[in-house]
Amino acid sequence: MKSTIENLGPTRVRLAIEVPWSDLDHAFGEVYKELGRQVRVPGFRPGKVPTRVLDQRIGRPVVLEQVVQHAVPEVYSEAVREKQVRVISQPEVSVTRLEDGEVLEFTAEVDVAPTVELPPLDALAVTVDDVAVSDEEIDQQVDVMRERFATLTGVERAAEDGDYVSIDLEATLNGEVLEDGSTTGMSYEVGSGNLMNGLDEAVRGLSTDESATFSTALLAGDQAGEVADVTVTVRSVKAKELPELDDEFASIASEFDTLEELRADVRTRLSRTKVLQQGAQARDKLVEHLLEVTEVPVPENMVEQELTWRSQAMERELQQAGMDWDAYFSMAGIESREAYDADLRENVEKAVKTQFILDSVADAREVTVDNEDLSAQIMAAAQRNRVSPEQYAQQLQQGNNIADFVADVRRTKALAQMLEQTTITDESGNVVDLEALRPQTVSADDHAGHDHSGHDHDHAGHDHDHDHAGHDHGEDDAEDVATEDAVTDAPKPDVASDAPAAAVVTDSEAAVDDAEGSTDKA
């Protein structure tokens, strides 16, 4: 076999491959063997039909076509290995010459990973935010705890913002009640704006057993986007009463005896979270710096394929939710499909560039992936997906995603090594020591991956009269829990979630074997 390579651009090549006829003996053997099992010729047992008879029976051109189909993938793979081409897509193959008994020639055009010229990596430095906790932030955390211990008391007045009402809803379109357009006894916080447009305006000022009708665009179902008339009837109005901020509240809501001790603990927890966030911020800023100073050609086909895949996946999700694109854009505050597509393209291109940069860093530093690395990442990923490590490893194997997973772990490890050698300072000039962050890596007991401070965990929306609206609250209530990947050996980019499905595989076969061994043991 002879092969030459021609660069068609920074991310695409054409391989020209010439195969002597003698190198096709194996392909001919396999093709004739298969044809011999399929073709029935009088006077010959199955599998014993001579090749010349098969040629006559089927036609020599058909045999040659099947030989080419059988031989090209194997020969192409051999040429890729020989030329050390890092392919990232399926090839476009064209047979340019086929002379029976003499030679097979074909070309294969394919996208390849670009050559990335890395900037100097020996004097990297990033600046992160100071760790400062304000009284306002402490107040916000304590208020969350107060909300959890709020009580609801029935009132004989019109509903106001902050009240909880029990409501009945009935939606009609063109005078007909919509299927699944009615509900009764729904608890709703007036002024929250988290159900449908126009509801808050309609409910404000209504007392028990009073009704109002308003118009709103439907967000789901077959009639999504159409304007329906919704009648809301208030069945009860309850005011939320928060406990007094005193030592008694502190002793009920926490293990502390005084409010001062509780606030001090909240400050400590917020400070610890912000220290963890410094690691994540340093990671992100390092990646941003690398993107700014590194020229990375992007394979357009790779981007287009990923954009198509993501759009189709989003389409399926919207259909399952009974929504269309317009309803989604309205709910998400997106101006148009053009704006959505532009933002999606930017994210995909950034993710692709990040992959290529980290692959180049891993190559330059000869980063390898061992079973310990893979096991740690499998456990972290399983935790994020709320499955067992064994289940996650099985999903990787069933989806043939082991090689992609190994490549991503390798990138993560390369970034971690760079981050260890990066000078990290806060805005006040203090050096941030990542080593000090490692013992505080979020574990399975820390509700990893969830920012509890950003969610509304009050239970005042339930229909309780003079009962505590909260449940069992432990000491973690006051803490803004950091995300799982804030520090994992060292912070890492969210490459896996933003990267194209056709991720670049940059690891050796030995590394893939390690991955398979690791997943078997996980």
Side-chain angles (χ1 to χ4, degrees), residues 294-314:
T294 310
E295 186 69 26
V296 185
V298 177
E300 188 60 27
N301 289 339
M302 185 178 183
V303 172
E304 290 299 332
Q305 289 174 4
E306 178 63 12
L307 289 172
T308 300
W309 183 88
R310 290 196 184 197
S311 294
Q312 291 175 347
M314 188 64 178

Side-chain angles (χ1 to χ4, degrees), residues 9 118 221 246 265 284 338 407 477:
L118 294 171
D246 51 24
D265 181 68
D284 295 341
E338 289 74 19
D477 288 342

Side-chain angles (χ1 to χ4, degrees), residues 468-513:
H468 281 302
H471 295 290
D472 183 23
H473 303 282
E475 61 181 10
D476 289 340
D477 288 342
E479 182 175 8
D480 180 6
V481 181
T483 57
E484 178 276 336
D485 59 355
V487 183
T488 306
D489 285 341
K492 61 184 179 180
D494 191 13
V495 175
S497 61
D498 287 336
V504 182
V505 179
T506 61
D507 305 275
S508 65
E509 293 180 358
V512 175
D513 291 339

Side-chain angles (χ1 to χ4, degrees), residues 218-225 318-319 321-324:
L218 298 173
L219 297 179
D222 295 337
Q223 293 85 18
L318 291 176
Q319 289 177 354
M323 297 177 64
D324 61 12

Side-chain angles (χ1 to χ4, degrees), residues 195-197 217-221 224-226 321-324 327-328 330-331:
L195 189 57
M196 64 180 68
N197 293 332
L218 298 173
L219 297 179
E226 296 189 47
M323 297 177 64
D324 61 12
Y328 168 70
S330 175
M331 184 178 66

Side-chain angles (χ1 to χ4, degrees), residues 13-34:
V13 299
R14 178 190 292 122
L15 289 165
I17 303 172
E18 177 183 327
V19 187
W21 209 253
S22 58
D23 289 357
L24 298 176
D25 289 345
H26 176 70
F28 270 106
E30 291 297 321
V31 168
Y32 279 130
K33 184 186 299 182
E34 182 64 25

Side-chain angles (χ1 to χ4, degrees), residues 279-502:
Q281 189 180 17
R283 168 203 69 196
D284 295 341
K285 287 199 169 185
L286 178 55
V287 171
E288 290 172 4
H289 171 73
L290 293 174
L291 287 169
E292 289 174 358
V293 300
T294 310
E295 186 69 26
V296 185
V298 177
E300 188 60 27
N301 289 339
M302 185 178 183
V303 172
E304 290 299 332
Q305 289 174 4
E306 178 63 12
L307 289 172
T308 300
W309 183 88
R310 290 196 184 197
S311 294
Q312 291 175 347
M314 188 64 178
E315 187 86 41
R316 290 192 296 270
E317 291 182 14
L318 291 176
Q319 289 177 354
Q320 291 173 358
M323 297 177 64
D324 61 12
W325 283 103
D326 290 338
Y328 168 70
F329 293 151
S330 175
M331 184 178 66
I334 299 173
E335 294 181 359
S336 63
R337 179 62 187 265
E338 289 74 19
Y340 172 84
D341 288 342
D343 185 61
L344 182 60
R345 175 177 290 275
E346 181 181 352
N347 290 335
V348 168
E349 289 182 351
K350 182 178 178 180
V352 172
K353 290 180 180 180
T354 301
Q355 282 191 332
F356 288 139
I357 291 173
L358 295 182
D359 286 338
S360 298
V361 171
D363 291 343
R365 293 175 175 242
E366 298 181 345
V367 175
T368 59
V369 176
D370 56 28
N371 284 341
E372 184 178 351
D373 299 323
L374 289 167
S375 295
Q377 291 299 322
I378 286 175
M379 291 182 66
Q383 183 176 320
R384 288 194 299 271
N385 289 276
R386 298 184 179 183
V387 298
S388 69
E390 292 81 3
Q391 288 175 310
Y392 190 80
Q394 186 177 19
Q395 291 172 6
L396 287 176
Q397 291 176 317
Q398 292 175 345
N400 294 320
N401 293 322
I402 292 176
D404 288 348
F405 187 78
V406 173
D408 191 51
V409 172
R410 186 169 181 256
R411 297 180 191 113
T412 299
K413 190 172 181 179
L415 180 57
Q417 291 182 2
M418 271 196 303
L419 201 56
E420 288 176 350
Q421 299 170 6
T422 298
T423 301
I424 305 171
T425 55
D426 62 21
E427 292 180 348
S428 298
N430 301 310
V431 175
V432 178
D433 184 9
L434 287 181
E435 290 291 337
L437 301 181
R438 289 186 180 182
Q440 300 181 41
T441 300
V442 178
S443 67
D445 295 329
D446 292 325
H447 306 288
H450 298 276
D451 183 358
H452 291 279
S453 68
H455 298 281
D456 182 10
H457 284 283
D458 72 86
H459 295 268
H462 296 289
D463 193 11
H464 299 300
D465 280 307
H466 302 286
D467 290 331
H468 281 302
H471 295 290
D472 183 23
H473 303 282
E475 61 181 10
D476 289 340
D477 288 342
E479 182 175 8
D480 180 6
V481 181
T483 57
E484 178 276 336
D485 59 355
V487 183
T488 306
D489 285 341
K492 61 184 179 180
D494 191 13
V495 175
S497 61
D498 287 336

